[in-house]
Amino acid sequence: EPEVTQTPSHQVTQMGQEVILRCVPISNHLYFYWYRQILGQKVEFLVSFYNNEISEKSEIFDDQFSVERPDGSNFTLKIRSTKLEDSAMYFCASGLSGTAMGYTFGSGTRLTVV
Amino acid sequence: QKEVEQNSGPLSVPEGAIASLNCTYSDRGSQSFFWYRQYSGKSPELIMSIYSNGDKEDGRFTAQLNKASQYVSLLIRDSQPSDSATYLCAVTLNSGNTPLVFGKGTRLSVIA
């Protein structure tokens, strides 16, 4: 069964450092998403991406965050200057037909900011 | 503010029993409804989607939707210990690419 692949599975970084989280969506999918889940809390939407541009972003997705699909297969989330409160599980997801049909989540990257 | 509310549990049921999980949502414009299963430390896994009022069955799972009451439920028949997980309710407006709004989840424990 096709999978959404995320790397690394766990990243530890110092506060103020830049991190890039990487995702390889399912190959024929057209819609891409990043969500995060702080330990013990809800899964929260960050950003959606379609046709090489951001479709929608949440209040969490401020100027410190950016997304890119640099080569037609990878989909990356960059956090420019990490804060302690950025520590969370970050999930990439992809879908064939947008949100309404549901989509597939990757296994996640656990980001720990120290 | 769009909200999705779930009882956090834990909900404990004996093996073989029916587990009933409930969810309410605040946005009357919501059109698509999903149940995801999340094992501890893992990603959400889609198990059911429902778009119309009524019941939808898939194997041991039945999703129920009542838009007038803004209520979604998931029934798991013949519960197994492997069903022990957190079940996340998620809703969205059906306008293409709007984000999912998740509830905090209900932790289900199936006792052998």
Side-chain angles (χ1 to χ4, degrees), chain A residues 11 18 26 30 33 36 48 69 101 103:
Chain A
Q11 173 131 18
E18 175 183 286
I26 294 173
L30 303 174
Y33 310 87
R36 79 171 187 190
S48 58
R69 189 159 159 78
M101 299 299 292
Y103 34 75

Side-chain angles (χ1 to χ4, degrees), chain A residues 22-80:
Chain A
R22 303 182 191 278
C23 170
V24 179
I26 294 173
S27 61
N28 63 337
H29 283 186
L30 303 174
Y31 297 83
F32 314 109
Y33 310 87
W34 284 100
Y35 284 76
R36 79 171 187 190
Q37 187 176 30
I38 295 170
L39 188 64
Q41 298 192 23
K42 297 182 182 186
V43 177
E44 300 175 289
F45 169 74
L46 294 179
V47 65
S48 58
F49 193 87
Y50 171 71
N51 202 23
N52 285 319
E53 60 183 23
I54 290 174
S55 307
E56 190 164 344
K57 57 185 180 180
S58 72
E59 291 177 354
I60 303 168
F61 194 89
D62 62 20
D63 291 345
Q64 293 301 311
F65 291 86
S66 62
V67 289
E68 210 175 30
R69 189 159 159 78
D71 57 11
S73 61
N74 290 284
F75 180 50
T76 61
L77 175 70
K78 182 193 290 186
I79 309 175
R80 285 188 186 78

Side-chain angles (χ1 to χ4, degrees), chain A residues 96-114:
Chain A
L96 185 58
S97 308
T99 299
M101 299 299 292
Y103 34 75
T104 303
F105 282 85
S107 55
T109 293
R110 180 168 299 283
L111 177 65
T112 303
V113 182
V114 297

Side-chain angles (χ1 to χ4, degrees), chain A residues 31 33 35 37 40-45 48-50 55-56 89 91 97-108 110, chain B residues 2-5 32 34 36 38 41-46 49 51 88 92-104:
Chain A
Y31 297 83
Y33 310 87
Y35 284 76
Q37 187 176 30
Q41 298 192 23
K42 297 182 182 186
V43 177
E44 300 175 289
F45 169 74
S48 58
F49 193 87
Y50 171 71
S55 307
E56 190 164 344
M89 194 77 157
F91 295 111
S97 308
T99 299
M101 299 299 292
Y103 34 75
T104 303
F105 282 85
S107 55
R110 180 168 299 283
Chain B
K2 302 179 181 71
E3 295 285 343
V4 176
E5 298 292 338
S32 302
F34 305 90
Y36 283 83
Q38 187 176 32
K42 303 295 185 184
S43 61
E45 174 193 4
L46 179 65
S49 59
Y51 309 101
L88 309 178
T92 188
L93 299 175
N94 191 17
S95 55
N97 202 23
T98 51
L100 287 174
V101 178
F102 282 86
K104 200 170 177 183

